[in-house]
């Protein structure tokens, strides 16, 4: 059998990539275009009829102040969370690659929160904020303080804190790989040339870890923009809908208010915003990448 024939190559390609390609089309491509079609209807998610409404859903989405408020809230939450997640993850990675005793144990320990689902994690921390911290405050002061989750700023603070706790361990592993990919001889050469450890870190190690920064910022940005499970279980959008993120608003629009076409339209707008931010971040991040 001639292995350079086009039919043979096509057969090999379909044998290995065919099943994965079919699954990808079935769960990603087809639902995407079906969702795009639904943005032009006023379907309620239940009835058999899907009335065509043209661009009415897009006009309504751009006029929906609650949606843009939730999106603005998501931007604030994402910016603070992404910065904190990456700062904490970087220092954790530096700590567990510095040769301390039990560093493999600490790596596993810091990564464990990422293995817990957002729903479970949210309920666990909800108990901590509503019961444990309140009980400790009562024991120390004699009066029961209010829960952090009962105030608007407190709810946002709790969301950010738990997100950092959940994502930092995962990002830490990427930074650990970045630290281990930097040749020690480069750091030693910088120290011999008169740099102290801080300057060697800033001028040698960090530039060579640019690929790790790009990956971690991209992953943490997309995760924060699409957060829903943690938002649902920890705050459920309360108090007074002050912690409703964009993904939760979209879900409520589609499945709670039975306005599926509108919810699908707002989901598409959110997708486009996330895609643009992610693409720009990766483009500018990789533009100045340094080869080791």
């Amino acid at each position: 059998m001639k292995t350079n024939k086009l039919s043979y190559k096509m057969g090999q390609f379909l044998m290995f990539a065919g099943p994965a390609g079919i699954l990808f089309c079935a769960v990603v491509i087809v639902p995407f275009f079906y969702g795009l079609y639904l943005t032009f209807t006023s379907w309620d998610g239940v009835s058999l009829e899907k009335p065509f409404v043209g661009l009415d859903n897009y006009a309504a989405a751009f006029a929906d102040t609650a949606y843009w408020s939730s999106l603005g809230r998501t931007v604030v939450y994402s910016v603070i969370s992404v910065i904190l997640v990456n700062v904490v993850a970087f220092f954790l990675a530096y700590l567990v690659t510095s040769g301390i005793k039990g560093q493999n144990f600490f790596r596993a320990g810091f990564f464990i929160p990422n293995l817990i689902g957002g729903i479970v994690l949210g309920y666990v921390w909800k108990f901590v904020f509503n019961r444990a911290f309140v009980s400790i405050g009562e024991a120390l002061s004699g009066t029961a303080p209010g829960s952090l989750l009962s105030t608007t700023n407190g709810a946002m603070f709790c969301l950010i804190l738990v997100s950092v706790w959940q994502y930092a361990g995962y990002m830490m592993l990427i930074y650990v790989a970045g630290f281990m990919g930097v040749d020690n001889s480069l750091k030693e050469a910088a120290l011999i040339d008169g740099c102290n450890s801080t300057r060697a870190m800033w001028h040698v190690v960090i530039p060579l870890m640019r690929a790790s920064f790009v990956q971690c910022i991209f992953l943490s940005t997309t995760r924060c923009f699409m957060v829903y499970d943690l938002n649902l279980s920890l705050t459920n959008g309360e108090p007074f809908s002050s912690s409703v993120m964009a993904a939760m608003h979209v879900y409520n629009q589609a499945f709670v208010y039975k306005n599926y076409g509108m919810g699908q339209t707002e989901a598409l707008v959110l997708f486009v915003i996330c895609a643009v931010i992610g693409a720009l971040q990766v483009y500018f991040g990789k533009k100045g990448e340094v080869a080791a």
Side-chain angles (χ1 to χ4, degrees):
M1 180 181 292
K2 292 183 178 179
T3 58
N4 58 349
K5 282 187 175 180
L6 180 62
S7 58
Y8 176 81
K9 291 180 179 178
M10 284 295 294
Q12 293 289 305
F13 175 79
L14 290 175
M15 184 172 66
F16 288 103
I22 293 171
L23 283 175
F24 182 76
C25 289
V27 302
V28 177
I29 301 300
V30 173
F32 177 81
F33 283 103
Y34 182 64
L36 187 62
Y37 158 70
L38 291 179
T39 63
F40 299 105
T41 70
S42 60
W43 189 41
D44 59 6
V46 178
S47 63
L48 295 177
E49 295 183 356
K50 301 179 179 64
F52 185 78
V53 295
L55 297 175
D56 288 357
N57 285 330
Y58 288 91
F62 283 105
D64 186 357
T65 54
Y67 173 65
W68 293 105
S69 296
S70 67
L71 192 57
R73 210 174 291 125
T74 304
V75 170
V76 173
Y77 157 80
S78 299
V79 169
I80 298 174
S81 297
V82 167
I83 293 172
L84 292 178
V85 164
N86 285 278
V87 169
V88 172
F90 180 82
F91 281 105
L92 289 179
Y94 176 74
L95 179 69
V96 299
T97 55
S98 59
I100 62 169
K101 288 185 179 179
Q103 60 183 18
N104 289 332
F105 171 79
F106 287 117
R107 287 181 191 179
F110 293 140
F111 183 71
I112 283 176
N114 188 68
L115 300 177
I116 305 172
I119 291 288
V120 176
L121 200 64
Y123 283 121
V124 169
W125 276 96
K126 191 173 187 176
F127 173 82
V128 171
F129 287 123
N130 283 344
R131 300 294 181 84
F133 285 171
V134 171
S135 298
I136 292 172
E138 185 176 10
L140 294 175
S141 64
T143 57
S147 169
L148 278 172
L149 293 172
S150 64
T151 63
T152 55
N153 291 333
M156 180 63 82
F157 169 78
C158 294
L159 266 176
I160 294 171
L161 179 67
V162 178
S163 298
V164 173
W165 190 74
Q166 182 184 17
Y167 297 146
Y170 180 71
M171 303 305 159
M172 176 200 70
L173 291 187
I174 299 176
Y175 284 123
V176 166
F179 271 112
M180 296 177 72
V182 177
D183 195 338
N184 282 328
S185 63
L186 295 174
K187 289 184 283 185
E188 291 169 359
L191 295 174
I192 292 171
D193 286 343
C195 284
N196 55 32
S197 56
T198 304
R199 290 174 64 87
M201 171 69 74
W202 186 254
H203 294 289
V204 177
V205 178
I206 289 180
L208 291 174
M209 290 178 61
R210 193 174 182 115
S212 299
F213 282 101
V214 171
Q215 292 175 34
C216 287
I217 293 173
F218 174 76
L219 290 174
S220 52
T221 301
T222 51
R223 284 187 173 203
C224 288
F225 263 92
M226 306 303 290
V227 65
Y228 173 73
D229 49 0
L230 184 63
N231 192 188
L232 175 69
S233 57
L234 184 61
T235 68
N236 197 22
E238 301 298 335
F240 315 117
S241 300
S242 62
S243 63
V244 174
M245 297 296 161
M248 175 175 277
H249 178 87
V250 168
Y251 178 89
N252 290 342
Q253 191 72 265
F255 297 103
V256 178
Y257 308 138
K258 303 298 182 187
N259 198 353
Y260 208 91
M262 179 74 168
Q264 188 64 35
T265 305
E266 293 179 343
L268 184 65
V269 173
L270 178 62
F271 165 76
V272 171
I273 292 172
C274 289
V276 170
I277 293 174
L280 288 175
Q281 182 261 316
V282 171
Y283 172 75
F284 286 109
K286 284 191 169 293
K287 200 173 180 181
E289 207 164 281
V290 179

